[in-house]
Amino acid sequence: MTKKGLPEEYPISLILNGYEIAVFQLTNLDLEDWVYGYLFSEGLIDGPEDVVSVDIREKAGILNVTLCNSFDPEQMFSKKKHYTAGCGRGVTFFSMTDVKNFNKVNSNDTYSLTYLLKKRAEFAQNSPLYLETGGMHGACLILEDGSIEVREDIGRHNAVDKIIGHAIRKRLQPDRLILLTTGRVSYEMLSKAAKFGFAVIGSRTAATKQAVQLARFLNIEVVGYLRGKMATIYTSAGRIHDDLTPRAAAEDLLERGEAQAQQLLN
């Protein structure tokens, strides 16, 4: 049996404008991306221009962040806390009602399941911490040109915050990107993606009923169980076409004006 290394996690304190928000359990990589992604996902910043500096003190386990806008901790913590589902749960201050008020996604880009499965395999091959330990989560951006960016962490929410933070720092346009994750797409995971504006979200595992309901309301496409040659399309925003089965492939070709597809349907 092949021995794998142990996944690592560190307690890291996030300090905003001199006020300690909380101590988070994080994998000690891409911490600046996580800062931007977490602050954006929680509505504390609107973009990279709101952050003056990020001082990472790894040995002390401190992330000291200075924002250009004033930060009112009493106002933030007066909001009702919502504990995230699953292992390593965190806290979010966005309720489902809040998420429903996010902007609906408008994107005409379409993708095939074969393309998503190909990128999911590429994502897996470019996840070094998972390959080393077998116990890490990952999040992946698929860019317009087909290239990918991957971030990993002990927590699935942290990994998504890291990849969102990367996109924010690079000022990428969300509606032209695809988000892939190794974790379950729960309502709070969907809220992070919706806040940024992703049009398509894919996962190697399931989506929850609440997440799918929100995705339909916000016009976001959600695809689960991206494994091998299988996938489940949970939504019907028209951005994903099923080219995995002969009939689905033929119908897709017919829609695209390929007459020879009729032979497959007969």
Side-chain angles (χ1 to χ4, degrees), residues 29-30 32-38 40-41 123 138-143 148-153 155-172 177-181 189 192-193 196 198:
L29 285 173
D30 302 306
E32 191 162 359
D33 283 340
W34 177 81
V35 166
Y36 280 82
Y38 175 78
F40 179 85
S41 294
F123 171 20
C140 172
L141 281 183
I142 305 176
L143 305 177
I148 66 171
E149 285 284 345
V150 175
R151 295 293 183 271
E152 295 181 274
D153 196 275
R156 58 193 176 97
H157 299 93
N158 297 338
V160 170
D161 282 334
K162 286 180 178 181
I163 206 67
I164 289 175
H166 167 77
I168 290 170
R169 295 175 67 196
K170 295 294 184 180
R171 300 180 184 274
L172 302 178
L177 306 174
I178 298 174
L179 171 65
L180 299 181
T181 175
M189 187 75 80
K192 289 179 184 291
F196 184 63
F198 287 109

Side-chain angles (χ1 to χ4, degrees), residues 126-264:
N126 287 274
S127 300
L129 294 181
Y130 177 80
L131 294 174
E132 179 184 346
T133 68
M136 300 293 286
H137 277 293
C140 172
L141 281 183
I142 305 176
L143 305 177
E144 290 183 68
D145 62 0
S147 61
I148 66 171
E149 285 284 345
V150 175
R151 295 293 183 271
E152 295 181 274
D153 196 275
I154 191 72
R156 58 193 176 97
H157 299 93
N158 297 338
V160 170
D161 282 334
K162 286 180 178 181
I163 206 67
I164 289 175
H166 167 77
I168 290 170
R169 295 175 67 196
K170 295 294 184 180
R171 300 180 184 274
L172 302 178
Q173 294 300 312
D175 59 341
R176 307 306 301 272
L177 306 174
I178 298 174
L179 171 65
L180 299 181
T181 175
T182 57
R184 180 179 61 254
V185 180
S186 53
Y187 117 77
E188 65 273 10
M189 187 75 80
L190 194 281
S191 73
K192 289 179 184 291
K195 178 73 167 58
F196 184 63
F198 287 109
V200 178
I201 307 169
S203 173
R204 69 179 300 276
T205 184
T208 67
K209 181 178 180 180
Q210 288 78 6
V212 172
Q213 288 174 338
L214 279 172
R216 288 170 178 164
F217 181 78
L218 294 171
N219 199 33
I220 298 171
E221 202 82 89
V222 178
V223 182
Y225 293 109
L226 284 164
R227 304 175 185 178
K229 293 184 179 181
M230 62 177 285
T232 298
I233 305 173
Y234 289 104
T235 47
S236 56
R239 298 188 188 95
I240 305 298
H241 57 271
D242 180 1
D243 60 343
L244 296 181
T245 62
R247 173 163 290 275
E251 290 173 348
D252 181 63
L253 286 173
L254 281 174
E255 289 180 2
R256 293 167 181 265
E258 299 288 345
Q260 65 266 34
Q262 185 61 51
Q263 298 176 359
L264 295 173

